[in-house]
Amino acid sequence: MHYDNPNRLSGVIDSSGVTFYYIDTPREHDSGILIVGQAVHHTMIIPPKARDYTIYSFCPTDCTALFPQDGIRVFANLLHTHLLGVSLTVHHLRATDQCRSGSGIEELKPIDSNPLYDFNFQEGVHINEVVIRPGDTIMLTCTYNSENRNTVTLGGESTHEEMCLSFLNYYPRIGMTDCYSLPSSQSFTQFLSRHYNQSKIDSFNGNPSRSNINKIFNNITWTHEETEVLENSLSTGSQYSFCYGPSVAYTDTRQDVPSIGCPYEAPPVMLECPDSVGPTTNPTTDPTTDPTSGAVSLITLSVTVLLFAMIAMILI
């Protein structure tokens, strides 16, 4: 829980709290929280004046390979960005022989998604249990709107900096608590080569400090095209990914952002039509025994609407 009093008001009282419930018999499983997403670091860069800029991060197979043989079961989640975040999705990826295209990676139903994210209305939500197996990939995409910013926004702890995180609640609890990724400095090369010579690019690769990143990226004239080039460069480039926890040794790897061969396709929504749209005008017809009464009522309604439309056209 965070508190902020930017106007330094006095006498402000908060009554928030936490209630703990105890039981005599322990549950069958202990639950845990696994944080996935982009590591909180200043190499997370969001251009200014961007309407929908997306960042890609993932928990790699090298880390999920450490999961129990039966996997972990995610039952709740909290999505988190700061002020610029507008949409987040936790993608569930799995290698399969059934996916013949691309890299052979299939996207399963998203673990969680919020296309209308609002920083002021964050909450943990319960979801239908999802089993994440050893060797699966958890990918988090965060989309931002920075149209009200005149300079680049970097990753960081401050509310006016940014984050891209998902807090997965799961069971049974394992020793891993964090699983992140960050773009490698080389993944910026394609974009930076449009604006700087190799010497400047080398200085960035050798010193990706906050001050140097601000200097380099704020000297760029940002257009929609430049924003797209940066996003494409980072979404297809290599990332440094890593995981750790109280009983999990620090594990790291460097690999490209997973390429989805078979994207998830949501099943079509089937709407059921009612048997009737209202009571029939024929008092001799019992809608509970006459199967045609609903159809007759629907036809009557259609004719009535058509007549009103014709009258309206004549009056106009």
Side-chain angles (χ1 to χ4, degrees):
M1 180 177 290
H2 302 270
Y3 291 93
D4 189 17
N5 188 1
N7 296 323
R8 300 185 181 278
L9 302 176
S10 60
V12 179
I13 299 175
D14 176 66
S15 59
S16 299
V18 178
T19 301
F20 289 93
Y21 295 91
Y22 292 86
I23 58 174
D24 296 329
T25 306
R27 302 289 189 185
E28 179 181 358
H29 300 289
D30 288 337
S31 67
I33 295 178
L34 177 64
I35 310 174
V36 301
Q38 184 144 137
V40 181
H41 195 265
H42 51 263
T43 50
M44 174 182 179
I45 300 169
I46 301 173
K49 305 300 180 183
R51 185 174 184 179
D52 52 353
Y53 179 79
T54 300
I55 280 178
Y56 297 76
S57 57
F58 57 93
C59 179
T61 57
D62 286 26
C63 290
T64 63
L66 304 175
F67 287 2
Q69 182 178 358
D70 295 333
I72 62 173
R73 294 179 175 270
V74 178
F75 62 89
N77 185 48
L78 171 69
L79 299 169
H80 179 67
T81 73
H82 287 169
L83 299 174
L84 301 184
V86 294
S87 176
L88 298 90
T89 299
V90 186
H91 305 267
H92 188 186
L93 311 182
R94 179 173 295 164
T96 173
D97 294 336
Q98 302 301 315
C99 180
R100 302 293 183 181
S101 61
S103 59
I105 295 180
E106 178 185 11
E107 180 183 18
L108 307 180
K109 181 180 179 181
I111 298 172
D112 191 15
S113 181
N114 186 347
L116 299 172
Y117 178 85
D118 189 327
F119 174 78
N120 295 303
F121 294 94
Q122 300 179 59
E123 63 177 350
V125 296
H126 285 269
I127 61 176
N128 293 330
E129 284 192 6
V130 177
V131 179
I132 303 178
R133 300 177 184 172
D136 287 356
T137 298
I138 310 167
M139 185 166 72
L140 176 63
T141 55
C142 300
T143 301
Y144 303 87
N145 184 320
S146 61
E147 290 178 305
N148 63 344
R149 298 280 176 94
N150 295 316
T151 58
V152 297
T153 301
L154 306 184
E157 300 284 350
S158 165
T159 301
H160 293 280
E161 295 170 324
E162 270 304 336
M163 292 184 176
C164 177
L165 298 172
S166 177
F167 296 77
L168 300 172
N169 293 252
Y170 72 93
Y171 71 91
R173 186 174 64 192
I174 58 177
M176 187 185 303
T177 55
D178 301 78
C179 192
Y180 307 116
S181 71
L182 273 175
S184 65
S185 56
Q186 289 74 18
S187 63
F188 288 95
T189 301
Q190 175 186 348
F191 174 77
L192 291 175
S193 63
R194 298 166 59 90
H195 304 278
Y196 297 104
N197 57 32
Q198 189 59 45
S199 175
K200 194 71 172 179
I201 295 174
D202 290 341
S203 72
F204 167 78
N205 292 335
N207 179 29
S209 64
R210 181 177 294 273
S211 59
N212 199 28
I213 288 176
N214 269 318
K215 181 179 179 181
I216 290 174
F217 283 87
N218 280 320
N219 283 334
I220 293 172
T221 300
W222 288 99
T223 63
H224 178 69
E225 179 184 1
E226 295 303 320
T227 298
E228 281 193 336
V229 173
L230 177 61
E231 181 180 322
N232 290 335
S233 179
L234 298 182
S235 65
T236 57
S238 64
Q239 294 206 15
Y240 174 68
S241 54
F242 53 97
C243 56
Y244 55 87
S247 57
V248 172
Y250 187 92
T251 303
D252 65 326
T253 183
R254 179 177 165 180
Q255 65 183 68
D256 290 344
V257 176
S259 175
I260 300 174
C262 299
Y264 173 74
E265 295 184 5
V269 178
M270 304 300 291
L271 299 178
E272 294 185 3
C273 295
D275 293 334
S276 64
V277 296
T280 178
T281 55
N282 184 356
T284 62
T285 302
D286 182 0
T288 62
T289 57
D290 185 357
T292 65
S293 62
V296 172
S297 299
L298 187 59
I299 294 173
T300 303
L301 177 62
S302 301
V303 172
T304 304
V305 172
L306 181 60
L307 288 175
F308 273 113
M310 293 175 63
I311 295 172
M313 292 177 63
I314 293 173
L315 292 177
I316 294 175

